[in-house]
Amino acid sequence: MPESQRTFAIIKPDAVAKQVAGQIIARIEESGLELLAIKRLQLDDRLAQGFYAVHKERPFFGDLVKFMTSGPVIAMVLEGEEAIQRWRDLMGPTNSNEAPAGTLRGDFGTDIERNAVHGSDAPETAKLEISYFFNAGEIQALVEALP
């Protein structure tokens, strides 16, 4: 039986600037993933560097931080059966130039950096990334929120 999971997602500054965030959120909902938490925020250097610390030694780190701080992002917590893989399938390959039409990166991204969205790649990563942007009080399943 498929496992219910939570995953982390970001709509990146390029997609927010293009005003396609609503279309991305609609596709998330149409896919059957539940949106448990959402917030729009502007990352500063400290937040972006901390979030992408795993890439600190890579040559693209400075450009990545600069891009992720260039405009607002939308951070989300998604839930559903096999949510991590389902979100990754909906996003498409990291390089938008290799992403097929119908995927978020294929439809809204322009290259490997400006690829519209980010998603966790494993349960451990999802847990860490969710806690980086959300506290437990900000995340509630729909049934928990109803009286």
Side-chain angles (χ1 to χ4, degrees), residues 27-112:
R27 289 201 197 176
I28 290 168
E29 291 179 327
E30 289 164 5
S31 79
L33 291 169
E34 185 177 352
L35 185 58
L36 297 185
I38 185 169
K39 65 170 77 169
R40 179 181 165 127
L41 62 152
Q42 175 70 50
L43 301 182
D44 60 19
D45 284 346
R46 183 188 60 79
L47 274 174
Q49 288 171 359
F51 184 71
Y52 287 107
V54 67
H55 299 302
K56 188 176 183 177
E57 301 304 320
R58 303 241 176 126
F60 60 82
F61 180 73
D63 289 338
L64 177 60
V65 169
K66 185 177 180 180
F67 166 60
M68 291 301 292
T69 59
S70 68
V73 300
I74 298 174
M76 300 171 285
V77 179
L78 310 177
E79 184 176 68
E81 290 182 2
E82 299 179 1
I84 294 167
Q85 188 59 53
R86 287 172 57 202
W87 173 235
R88 294 191 69 75
D89 291 344
L90 185 60
M91 287 190 303
T94 302
N95 187 340
S96 295
N97 295 321
E98 298 170 0
T103 64
L104 297 174
R105 289 174 171 160
D107 293 348
F108 303 118
T110 56
D111 56 42
I112 198 162

Side-chain angles (χ1 to χ4, degrees), residues 10-12 14-15 24 104-105 108-109 114-118:
I10 290 179
I11 301 174
K12 293 183 176 182
D14 57 322
I24 293 170
L104 297 174
R105 289 174 171 160
F108 303 118
R114 287 168 170 69
N115 60 5
V117 289
H118 164 86

